[in-house]
């Protein structure tokens, strides 16, 4: 057990050094038994970085996905009958469950928290919601937490980011955050990235298309599907890094030291 903990800590410290410059995750070898928590403000946030999630999954990481809200505001009224929030939430959670089944993640590793939302349809972190997130975080004691970056036009992303950082500062062990670049991200460093090729992009496209409500909404409102939107972002990340790959998922890294430790 001690050797496993040491290996995890050494990996986190190694990855934490990525803030010194962009590093490819493909060049690192994660130890088994890493505990990874995905804080997804909406259904489909996991899928946006599915290739990186597969990288950790194939390295035997213990992955828990916490979908924080039902994402009802992201479903067009024309997509569901009746067009109620309850029905929209059911649709989005079903889509996420289907996508994660395709990915191969066991159903027990996914929790739909259904936290309250504000008038803007985004996460409202009242006292009860904060307590629920804190209980989840401290119960899992993750080594790595994946979530959207906080410099983002989406309020749910900003609120999740700020609350996570508060919790991470109270952890009793090293916690490494991988803040993912999203199409709505305003600005962030790319400290770490995972490159991928055309074959991987087709697998990722297939997974994203399980989110049919989002595919339809993006086509109607933006003129391109969710799959194209995410993969175009991945292509821009790769081009910006000037790497020999067509696509990349990009992350800003932050390493939180144990409370009162080093």
């Amino acid at each position: 057990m001690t050797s496993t903990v040491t290996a995890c800590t050494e990996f986190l410290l190694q990855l934490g050094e990525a803030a010194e410059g962009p590093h490819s995750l493909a060049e690192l070898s994660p130890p088994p038994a890493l505990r990874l928590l995905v804080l997804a403000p909406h259904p489909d946030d996991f899928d946006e970085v599915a290739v990186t999630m597969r990288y950790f999954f194939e390295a035997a990481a213990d992955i828990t996905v916490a979908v924080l809200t039902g994402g009802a505001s992201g479903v067009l009224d024309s997509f569901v009958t009746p067009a109620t929030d309850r029905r929209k939430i059911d649709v989005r959670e079903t889509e996420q469950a289907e996508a994660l089944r395709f990915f191969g993640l066991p159903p027990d590793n996914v929790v739909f928290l259904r936290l309250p939302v504000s008038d803007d349809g985004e996460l409202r972190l009242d006292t009860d919601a904060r307590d629920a997130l804190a209980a989840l975080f401290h119960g899992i004691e993750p080594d790595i937490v994946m979530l959207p970056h906080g410099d983002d036009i989406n309020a749910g992303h900003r609120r999740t980011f700020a609350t996570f950082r508060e919790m991470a500062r109270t952890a009793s062990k090293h916690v490494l955050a991988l803040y993912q670049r999203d199409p709505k991200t305003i600005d962030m460093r790319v400290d770490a990235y995972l490159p991928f090729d055309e074959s991987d992009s087709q697998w990722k496209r297939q997974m994203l298309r399980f989110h049919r409500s989002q595919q339809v909404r993006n086509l109607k409102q933006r003129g391109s599907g969710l799959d194209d939107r995410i993969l175009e972002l991945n292509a821009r990340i790769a081009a910006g890094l000037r790497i020999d790959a067509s696509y990349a998922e990009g992350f800003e890294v932050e390493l939180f030291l144990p409370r009162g430790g080093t």
Side-chain angles (χ1 to χ4, degrees):
M1 179 67 176
T2 301
S3 61
T4 300
V5 172
T6 301
C8 289
T9 302
E10 289 176 352
F11 175 77
L12 298 181
L13 292 173
Q14 182 182 14
L15 188 51
E17 294 173 357
E20 299 175 2
H23 292 283
S24 172
L25 291 170
E27 297 174 357
L28 302 177
S29 298
L34 278 174
R35 288 197 290 271
L36 198 154
L37 172 62
V38 180
L39 294 178
H42 318 93
D44 76 18
D45 286 328
F46 175 100
D47 310 62
E48 291 187 8
V49 288
V51 179
T52 301
M53 299 311 309
R54 186 174 62 176
Y55 158 83
F56 283 111
F57 186 66
E58 291 178 346
D62 182 4
I63 299 173
T64 299
V65 181
V67 181
L68 307 189
T69 71
S73 62
V75 181
L76 299 175
D77 285 350
S78 59
F79 189 82
V80 295
T81 303
T84 62
D85 282 353
R86 179 67 268 168
R87 177 63 182 137
K88 291 177 180 181
I89 290 170
D90 288 344
V91 164
R92 293 209 67 182
E93 290 183 354
T94 297
E95 291 171 346
Q96 181 67 96
E98 289 174 349
L100 292 174
R101 190 177 305 116
F102 168 82
F103 179 90
L105 195 71
D108 289 346
N109 290 47
V110 185
V111 56
F112 294 98
L113 291 177
R114 301 175 186 173
L115 298 179
V117 298
S118 302
D119 292 341
D120 60 4
E122 292 299 338
L123 179 65
R124 176 167 57 86
L125 284 165
D126 58 17
T127 300
D128 289 344
R130 287 174 177 271
D131 288 347
L133 278 181
L136 178 75
F137 176 79
H138 291 296
I140 293 174
E141 294 190 321
D143 301 297
I144 297 175
V145 180
M146 187 93 67
L147 68 157
H149 196 279
D151 191 2
D152 193 294
I153 64 173
N154 184 276
H157 291 181
R158 296 195 304 270
R159 293 163 188 165
T160 302
F161 177 84
T163 301
F164 160 71
R165 294 183 82 232
E166 291 174 5
M167 293 189 301
R169 294 188 184 102
T170 70
S172 59
K173 55 180 282 187
H174 289 87
V175 178
L176 187 123
L178 291 177
Y179 305 126
Q180 66 199 61
R181 181 179 283 280
D182 177 90
K184 295 181 179 179
T185 303
I186 298 170
D187 189 33
M188 60 169 262
R189 296 190 316 267
V190 177
D191 299 324
Y193 63 91
L194 191 70
F196 60 100
D197 59 19
E198 196 62 42
S199 175
D200 294 324
S201 78
Q202 293 307 311
W203 173 84
K204 183 172 180 176
R205 183 183 298 277
Q206 189 174 354
M207 185 169 176
L208 286 164
R209 285 196 172 183
F210 281 98
H211 297 274
R212 291 176 289 276
S213 66
Q214 303 313 291
Q215 190 75 357
V216 168
R217 182 173 64 86
N218 276 270
L219 284 167
K220 287 189 175 181
Q221 295 183 344
R222 298 187 173 102
S224 62
L226 175 67
D227 54 347
D228 285 333
R229 192 167 176 235
I230 299 302
L231 289 168
E232 286 168 4
L233 169 66
N234 297 151
R236 291 198 303 273
I237 293 172
L241 291 167
R242 298 182 179 180
I243 58 176
D244 187 22
S246 299
Y247 306 92
E249 294 170 348
F251 307 91
E252 185 171 313
V253 173
E254 185 171 17
L255 179 64
F256 295 86
L257 300 179
R259 182 183 56 214
T262 59

